[in-house]
Amino acid sequence: RVGGVGFRSPTVVAPIVVAMQNITALGPKNPWTANLLSALGVMHFSNEEIKETFGVLTEGGASIDKARVFELLKTAFGFEPMPEGMGLFVTALQLEEDGDVTWSELEASLDQIREILFGVSKNASEYTSIQDMKDDLLKHRRMAKDPMDKYKAPMTEAQAIGWHEEEVFNERFPKGSCAETKYADEMIKCRLEPF
């Protein structure tokens, strides 16, 4: 006791670690990278993870029917693949033709698609040098790549105007005049006093 007050030595308390789950309602961690053209499911899953699903669907077999590739990707990703991603698979594996796909063919196409998407992701970085960026700002140069070359959807309201998904139509609003106004206009054109 010190001065009538009880004194305790401080105790060390271990921090409680709470895992936060189901936060997807808040959106992605970085919306700019999540909306890139290269942000497809194949970029987020390794060949080993997809091979596990391949083994389950083929029950240990060596190949899978081309018609089941969508099912394979949906099961491996846990969500339906984007149409853009499926388009890449259709092209790489010739899915419009009948037949089977072996794991080695699928693995080669996965690597090929990742290379294509990696090249597309380079469009997102406009500059690699701060000096180049400063020079372009000083000379008021436009960006070399448009937002549609970088993102799936507009990231700002300003980008939404003129985006390729917007339907453009021109509506005319001709000037309508009554007979009296037309008469007065003609009088003025003739340099006469209409009144």
Side-chain angles (χ1 to χ4, degrees):
R1 291 196 102 151
V2 177
V5 179
F7 177 75
R8 288 188 196 175
S9 63
T11 57
V12 177
V13 178
I16 299 173
V17 178
V18 179
M20 298 186 70
Q21 297 176 351
N22 301 326
I23 311 239
T24 56
L26 297 176
K29 193 174 193 179
N30 185 350
W32 294 96
T33 57
N35 201 21
L36 289 175
L37 287 175
S38 62
L40 298 176
V42 70
M43 296 296 280
H44 301 287
F45 294 91
S46 66
N47 288 353
E48 290 77 27
E49 293 170 320
I50 296 173
K51 187 174 184 175
E52 287 177 23
T53 309
F54 183 87
V56 170
L57 288 179
T58 61
E59 298 172 353
S63 64
I64 189 170
D65 185 28
K66 288 184 177 183
R68 295 187 67 197
V69 170
F70 180 80
E71 178 187 355
L72 168 71
L73 296 174
K74 182 179 176 183
T75 307
F77 297 165
F79 56 86
E80 288 189 9
M82 299 286 292
E84 299 91 1
M86 276 312 297
L88 292 170
F89 278 98
V90 167
T91 305
L93 295 170
Q94 290 105 24
L95 294 181
E96 61 274 349
E97 301 170 4
D98 291 336
D100 289 344
V101 177
T102 64
W103 170 248
S104 60
E105 293 171 344
L106 183 63
E107 187 175 30
S109 67
L110 287 168
D111 293 336
Q112 177 188 2
I113 290 170
R114 284 190 190 105
E115 283 180 32
I116 291 169
L117 293 176
F118 183 71
V120 169
S121 70
K122 288 185 178 181
N123 283 344
S125 59
E126 193 74 33
Y127 297 102
T128 55
S129 164
I130 190 69
Q131 189 60 46
D132 292 344
M133 186 179 93
K134 287 179 180 179
D135 291 344
D136 284 355
L137 284 174
L138 181 68
K139 295 180 180 182
H140 300 286
R141 287 191 192 125
R142 293 182 63 149
M143 295 284 185
K145 299 169 190 93
D146 294 331
M148 288 187 290
D149 297 334
K150 302 174 191 178
Y151 304 111
K152 296 176 192 172
M155 294 298 297
T156 64
E157 283 299 314
Q159 288 178 353
I161 298 170
W163 199 264
H164 63 284
E165 295 173 357
E166 180 180 302
E167 187 176 324
V168 178
F169 61 93
N170 293 323
E171 189 174 350
R172 296 191 67 212
F173 299 100
K175 178 182 173 187
S177 299
C178 65
E180 289 83 8
T181 305
K182 289 178 183 177
Y183 178 78
D185 287 343
E186 290 300 321
M187 294 285 289
I188 291 172
K189 286 179 187 176
C190 295
R191 297 178 191 239
L192 299 173
E193 182 62 39
F195 303 107

